[in-house]
Amino acid sequence: MLSYLVFWKVLLTTSALGKVINHPTNYGLREVREYPATGAMGAGPFASMEPQKSPLLAATYYFDPVSGRSQNLEQLGLNTQSIVRSLSSKENEVALEACVAADGREGTCYDASFCMELGGVPMGQCEDSGSSVCCLFEVSCDDDSYEEFTYFKSPLYPRAYDKERMCKIRVGKKKSTICQLRLDFLDLDIARPTEGNCSQDMLFISGQNENNVVPRICGLNTGHHFYVDVDESGMVSIQVMMIGSYSRKFNIKITQLECKTNKIVPEHCLQYYTGTHGVIKSFNYEEGGATTFQGYPNNLDYTICLKKEPGFCSISYELASDVTGVQPFGVGLVSASSSSTVTGPVSAECPDDFLVIGGIRLCSGRIAASTTSVRGRETNTTVTGLLTDSTPGPFMVRFVSNGVNNARGFNLQYRLNPCK
Ligand SMILES: *[C@@H]1O[C@H](CO)[C@@H](O)[C@H](O)[C@H]1NC(C)=O
Ligand SMILES: *[C@@H]1O[C@H](CO)[C@@H](O)[C@H](O)[C@H]1NC(C)=O
Ligand SMILES: [Ca+2]
């Protein structure tokens, strides 16, 4: 035991002289970050596309639904090369690097032994250093993490897990100056809602800021993300309830974001998109074919925010074309009628579920009588609907669902318009 302690003392001392060790309790360090110019944390499908400096040039970019759909949005962020940060304390100049492992996952450069001591997995050498490795942190049920990047995986991942279990992890701030967590659902395939109720599986977050409401979701949500405000919170719990038998699996990347850096997004935006165009979708939208989908969960109320990129003053939304041939808009109770089509999205009172864009409530119109059995989930629309929001304020889309009558959801392309 003694020799073990001596070993660590020597190791820590040596490391302090050479490569840096950033211990979780290493508070009070000033961190200077450099970011990839393209904004790798941007959530949109075009996050890798630089915001255009010339509004006229940018106006020539239009959304291509085919290539847009074929990209895994959130994973684009993983393809950036190592994000180099330098970190200095008052006493000694030290450097700590985030790194990208060969498989695209993000980690932190640590001394190999220290990486293992922290429960990490060494994944290759860090570029410019002999002794440090790219240390990845993977956790599963009942684990805690204090790392900048954490991957939370279901038991047996990537194989499916079909047993009942409450799977919970706790995330502690790596530094006292962490303000937000970003959760990237690299893979989130849990049991679907039943009539909108997440009565089998459910993902939920607790312990964040008291006034930060994060909805509870279920179903297939691969590619989605959440921002969680934690500046006033202690440890945050991320839980996946797994009830009954289902071939479920998940892999959630959790990134801790430091206050006053350009990775922080406006508070209370559950989702945040950057770039001049992209796609926003409701939860559990992608699932299944035209008639098998179960739609978005009940009891949601959240806000999607979109960055007003420099040189752009308004935003237009239109329906994305849909791979299944069913048009992509089903929001709220749509009463059966003899018509074979719905007229949505329509601006209406929307007594049930609705989207708010530019102060206007939108929901679906009518649906064919023959589809009453699917309760409005299959909604062929006749209007593609283009809506432009030219607010001088921030671009926001609020989505609200109540406890009954869910529908397929929304799938909208957005495009920023240059200032005139
Ligand atoms: C879903 O929840 C609502 C509200 O609690 C309830 O009225 C409804 O019966 C539930 N549906 C199913 C299929 O469980
Ligand atoms: C919607 O369109 C699809 C494909 O064109 C068609 O198979 C389906 O019957 C339509 N549904 C309704 C409710 O009209
Ligand atoms: Ca509803």
Side-chain angles (χ1 to χ4, degrees), residues 120-152:
V121 180
M123 288 283 285
Q125 296 280 306
C126 273
E127 274 172 19
D128 53 348
S129 133
S131 67
S132 74
V133 293
C134 191
C135 190
L136 299 184
F137 294 89
E138 295 183 349
V139 298
S140 193
C141 315
D142 302 328
D143 288 339
D144 290 348
S145 174
Y146 293 85
E147 295 300 323
E148 180 177 7
F149 304 104
T150 304
Y151 293 84
F152 174 25

Side-chain angles (χ1 to χ4, degrees), residues 49-76:
M49 184 178 284
E50 217 166 346
Q52 298 304 308
K53 292 190 178 66
S54 155
L56 282 179
L57 264 183
T60 64
Y61 283 91
Y62 287 99
F63 181 71
D64 171 359
V66 177
S67 65
R69 187 172 295 106
S70 65
Q71 297 182 35
N72 186 326
L73 326 184
E74 311 305 327
Q75 283 176 346
L76 281 176

Side-chain angles (χ1 to χ4, degrees), residues 133-251:
V133 293
C134 191
C135 190
L136 299 184
F137 294 89
E138 295 183 349
V139 298
S140 193
C141 315
D142 302 328
D143 288 339
D144 290 348
S145 174
Y146 293 85
E147 295 300 323
E148 180 177 7
F149 304 104
T150 304
Y151 293 84
F152 174 25
K153 296 181 170 184
S154 48
L156 309 179
Y157 190 87
R159 282 186 292 140
Y161 183 77
D162 61 6
K163 300 200 170 51
E164 291 203 339
R165 178 160 189 180
M166 176 67 87
C167 187
K168 168 180 169 178
I169 63 158
R170 293 189 307 164
V171 178
K173 296 180 195 178
K174 184 183 178 75
K175 297 173 168 190
S176 57
T177 52
I178 297 297
C179 276
Q180 284 175 333
L181 302 181
R182 180 180 158 117
L183 275 55
D184 283 289
F185 306 136
L186 305 180
D187 195 353
L188 180 54
D189 184 354
I190 58 179
R192 311 296 186 245
T194 306
E195 294 185 6
N197 297 339
C198 295
S199 39
Q200 229 187 311
D201 291 6
M202 183 161 58
L203 170 82
F204 59 103
I205 317 280
S206 57
Q208 73 276 17
N209 288 359
E210 195 180 1
N211 66 359
N212 184 226
V213 178
V214 177
R216 300 174 168 203
I217 61 167
C218 54
L220 180 60
N221 290 291
T222 300
H224 272 288
H225 70 279
F226 277 0
Y227 280 93
V228 180
D229 299 332
V230 299
D231 51 311
E232 291 161 4
S233 81
M235 289 190 94
V236 173
S237 296
I238 301 171
Q239 303 184 61
V240 182
M241 181 178 82
M242 302 183 271
I243 295 179
S245 180
Y246 183 80
S247 290
R248 52 181 72 89
K249 57 180 180 171
F250 57 86
N251 179 14

Side-chain angles (χ1 to χ4, degrees), residues 296-318:
Y296 52 78
N298 291 330
N299 301 312
L300 302 176
D301 188 350
Y302 65 96
T303 301
I304 302 168
C305 305
L306 301 104
K307 186 180 180 192
K308 200 174 257 188
E309 297 284 2
F312 293 84
C313 285
S314 67
I315 184 167
S316 298
Y317 302 88
E318 62 187 318

Side-chain angles (χ1 to χ4, degrees), residues 18 26 72 203 218 274 287 300 306 308 339 399-400 412:
N26 207 357
N72 186 326
L203 170 82
C218 54
T274 62
E287 176 218 350
L300 302 176
L306 301 104
K308 200 174 257 188
S339 169
F399 183 57
V400 179
L412 301 173

